Amino acid sequence: MLGGILLILFFALISQGVFRSFEKKHRWFSKSLMNKLFWYHIFFIGVYYTYAVYNPSDSKNYFARPQNPALTWGDSFGTSTTFIDFISYPFINGLGFSYEMMMVLYGYLGFIGFLYAYLFFRENIPIQVKVLNRIDLLTLILFLPNMHFWTASMGKGAPIFMGLMMFSYAIKNPKDRIFTLIFASIVIYFIRPHVFLFVAAGTVLGYMSGREKISLWKKTLIYIGMIGALFIVQDTILGMAGLENSDNLVTDFENFSEDRAGELSKSGSGVNMTSYPLTIKLITFWFRPLFFDAPGLLGLIVSMENLVYLLLFFKIVRKGFIKFLRKSPISVKMSLTVFLMSSIAMSFVMSNLGIMMRQKSMVMYFLFFVIYYFLAEKKYKKIMKMRKKKVTFKNQQKLKSEVT
């Protein structure tokens, strides 16, 4: 326990240097807000640790596996779960990290994800937006408790979230942030290869159809990089579902998803979604559990947050949203593509509310970004319209005074 506390203090000190670095790069960076977010996330590390003590938790298995005497560091190198063992091995076996210290280490990776989420949102959307009875939308998004809970423990959740947010921040300026982009791509691919597929597809689509004027060399670099990477790792991605030797990917994926969904639906919080139409599957994945089907106390807490998701989602159910999408920038189209592709894929294989609560925390920030950008653009147009009216009015008044 003492080691975990000391590690928290160490990360708190390191974070101050990180914050100062970003303050120099971005004039809008709020060190005060990030310090609040840091300690808020640390609180959830404690909450998850307490939860794990009294309940089954994958974090215990993630801590135990690297201690297997028959396992070497090289043996643990690979994709998915084994990559988490690869990350953990030197800390547990080399530095002697305890379970509490590993929880703090991974929890801090989750915080780095929130730091880059803040950078991603704030850099692309400088306008402040208020929602739900005058609440600042960015603050609301950054402090959603379910997002912090599932990124505050040892496992895949924290590093994959970090990788996704780092990638989203870096892709805006790939030339100057190339190392961040490469690092984030490696993290995403080795933890969840199929998510890397969605990110790569979203990036290519965004650069193809975004409203920005991008130089040919930059577009070519992105296309070659993303498509080339997908070609190299295609067998690993398909292998995640046992489809590497498939002759009919669509049929074999349907069979895989039905088998996987059937297994997950057998648990106490299972939902048999195999017969649901796609629209209902997506709604179930995004917004359930709600109060009527919440599995336990944690489910009730998550239901309140899901209600917030639902209210935010209604913000884009507007006539002008499709027109906005057609003219939207790269970041919006990339985010929406990643969100929809990930949601569709996971909704086919997720039939357990508990797993849904954890998995969707990985992609919901992409939906929030689209919602935020849409609302910010509406506000910007409204402000510009009002300014134009004021200028017109002043000009009319000036003309009258000159005439008289």
Side-chain angles (χ1 to χ4, degrees), residues 325-339:
L325 279 182
R326 286 202 299 265
K327 299 180 179 179
S328 61
I330 292 169
S331 55
V332 171
K333 289 179 177 175
M334 181 197 78
S335 296
L336 188 62
T337 302
V338 173
F339 174 72

Side-chain angles (χ1 to χ4, degrees), residues 217-232:
W217 74 265
K218 187 179 286 189
K219 283 188 176 183
T220 303
L221 179 64
I222 292 296
Y223 295 163
I224 293 175
M226 292 293 105
I227 295 173
L230 285 176
F231 180 78
I232 293 170

Side-chain angles (χ1 to χ4, degrees), residues 37 113-114 116-118 120-121 138-144 147-148 161 165 305 309 335 339 360-372:
L37 191 66
F114 285 100
Y116 276 93
Y118 167 71
F120 172 48
F121 277 70
L138 181 56
T139 303
L140 174 66
I141 290 169
L142 289 174
F143 286 86
L144 287 168
M147 296 294 178
H148 287 269
F161 178 66
M165 293 301 102
E305 188 163 319
Y309 298 172
S335 296
F339 174 72
K360 70 183 176 186
S361 64
M362 179 174 58
V363 296
M364 289 304 289
Y365 264 49
F366 291 107
L367 173 64
F368 297 153
F369 180 82
V370 175
I371 295 170
Y372 194 176

Side-chain angles (χ1 to χ4, degrees), residues 25-89:
K25 292 180 182 178
H26 305 293
R27 294 177 60 186
W28 42 259
F29 186 88
S30 174
K31 185 178 177 181
S32 172
L33 179 63
M34 288 301 99
N35 274 312
K36 291 174 184 175
L37 191 66
F38 173 83
W39 291 110
Y40 182 76
H41 192 70
I42 293 298
F43 167 75
F44 275 92
I45 295 175
V47 170
Y48 194 98
Y49 173 73
T50 304
Y51 171 83
V53 169
Y54 298 102
N55 295 276
S57 172
D58 290 341
S59 61
K60 297 172 184 175
N61 294 327
Y62 279 118
F63 181 69
R65 261 196 312 272
Q67 298 181 65
N68 183 346
L71 183 72
T72 66
W73 193 19
D75 293 335
S76 60
F77 183 75
T79 57
S80 192
T81 301
T82 56
F83 189 66
I84 302 302
D85 297 338
F86 179 76
I87 296 172
S88 304
Y89 190 96

